[in-house]
Amino acid sequence: MNNLIEVVKVGIADMNIVKTPSLIRTSGLGSCVGVVLYDLSAEIAGLAHIMLPDSSLAKGTSFNSAKYADTAIRDLVSLLAKSGIRPSGLKAKIAGGAQMFKYSSGSDLMRIGPRNVEAVKQELSSLKIAILAEDVGGHSGRTIEFNPQSGELMIRTVNKVQVII
């Protein structure tokens, strides 16, 4: 009998969904935000690794929608709906959004991490998806892994103890 659990990996500016018993993971969350949308009753979850707050930053009309908070979250909801999930039953957990570098200018453009977090929260609020837990900000990178059966989001932060939210 094979008891290996598959871990679906999500890259930068990417998204995917997973069903129990598989897990879903993304690494390299610095200023990026990992957004997990899930339905525990169906044991299905989706994860988006968002790099930037707004698709208006894209050059041209053809762009990777998983890269931006405003387009990635809506596309992830659509992907989950295609798998049979009711969008009204989705919950969210988020992590990342660090300010990785210090800038003396204080320019708002350089606050990518905090801006990403604000954009993610705004988009989730507009879709009426509750954020049940978050681990955002700081100055360190994170790796996250979600279990769609338990609803646990494991977070490994550089130079810190692993936490589960």
Side-chain angles (χ1 to χ4, degrees), residues 31-75:
S31 60
C32 298
V33 177
V35 178
V36 177
L37 302 180
Y38 62 98
D39 183 336
L40 277 184
S41 63
E43 299 184 1
I44 295 177
L47 171 63
H49 185 131
I50 294 169
M51 287 181 67
L52 293 170
D54 191 326
S55 61
S56 67
L57 299 169
K59 295 177 179 162
T61 56
S62 177
F63 60 89
N64 176 2
S65 66
K67 188 174 181 179
Y68 304 96
D70 62 329
T71 52
I73 293 171
R74 289 184 186 271
D75 285 357

Side-chain angles (χ1 to χ4, degrees), residues 145-164:
E145 184 175 285
F146 188 77
N147 181 332
Q149 185 175 37
S150 66
E152 294 179 338
L153 181 63
M154 180 278 303
I155 303 167
R156 286 194 309 259
T157 304
V158 174
N159 298 323
K160 291 188 177 179
V161 176
Q162 177 178 304
V163 297
I164 295 175

Side-chain angles (χ1 to χ4, degrees), residues 132-147:
L132 297 190
E134 65 180 63
D135 181 40
V136 298
H139 302 284
S140 301
R142 296 171 172 91
T143 292
I144 63 173
E145 184 175 285
F146 188 77
N147 181 332

Side-chain angles (χ1 to χ4, degrees), residues 69-70 73-74 118-131:
D70 62 329
I73 293 171
R74 289 184 186 271
E118 292 164 13
V120 163
K121 288 182 175 180
Q122 182 177 1
E123 191 63 32
L124 290 171
S125 175
S126 74
L127 295 171
K128 300 184 178 7
I129 298 173
I131 299 173

